[in-house]
Amino acid sequence: METWRTFLDALKGDLPDFVIGDATATVDASLRCAVYPRDNNKPPHADWAVVGCVSILAPVYTLYAVHHEFKGGRPTSHELFFPPLPPEWRDISHTIARRIEATFNVSALSRETAEMPIPLCVDPHQPPDTTLFHALFTSRPQSVP
């Protein structure tokens, strides 16, 4: 975890205009960071985040973005974006990717490989809806603090 904390600190230096959060959850098979906008007009949470995931099971990582719609301060819906990300998030995702690769010596998992169905249950997903992404990273990508 010391390397992870060092990574997060370095990422804060790389992206000083953003809030960097540790989105790691004990139920996931990855370490996750989330990059949020510093100026947030939608309390109590940001309406978007770019997320970087480093698998603890294989030497791979992935990136994605999540956009939340809020009503009454609570998220009501979400949309996930996978690389290539929309232009407004590309520079952030490239910075996260470079820092992950330099720190952990891992490779990006292709979207095609990540979407491969696997014969495992990864709560709440069950075959045939479980993918390699769920097993290597997270089964709830929309859930970021």
Side-chain angles (χ1 to χ4, degrees):
M1 291 307 294
E2 186 62 34
T3 303
W4 181 247
R5 286 188 281 280
T6 301
F7 160 79
L8 292 174
D9 288 342
L11 195 57
K12 289 174 186 176
D14 294 342
L15 296 168
D17 297 331
F18 297 89
V19 175
I20 311 301
D22 184 356
T24 302
T26 56
V27 298
D28 293 334
S30 67
L31 302 169
R32 289 192 308 157
C33 66
V35 176
Y36 304 96
R38 184 165 300 284
D39 294 322
N40 175 10
N41 296 325
K42 298 189 185 293
H45 304 289
D47 63 349
W48 64 265
V50 177
V51 181
C53 304
V54 179
S55 177
I56 62 172
L57 300 175
V60 294
Y61 76 94
T62 194
L63 300 167
Y64 65 91
V66 60
H67 179 262
H68 288 283
E69 294 289 330
F70 285 87
K71 190 171 195 173
R74 295 187 179 267
T76 56
S77 64
H78 68 273
E79 185 175 6
L80 295 173
F81 299 86
F82 293 93
L85 296 181
E88 61 269 26
W89 298 322
R90 282 197 193 131
D91 288 345
I92 297 166
S93 68
H94 291 313
T95 299
I96 297 168
R98 281 192 307 270
R99 180 60 65 183
I100 287 174
E101 290 172 3
T103 304
F104 297 100
N105 195 30
V106 293
S107 302
L109 187 68
S110 73
R111 188 70 199 139
E112 297 78 24
T113 302
E115 290 176 343
M116 288 177 46
I118 59 170
L120 297 173
C121 294
V122 180
D123 187 44
H125 304 279
Q126 295 183 15
D129 298 321
T130 310
T131 65
L132 195 55
F133 174 90
H134 299 128
L136 290 177
F137 302 110
T138 181
S139 63
R140 292 182 174 95
Q142 73 280 4
S143 178
V144 290

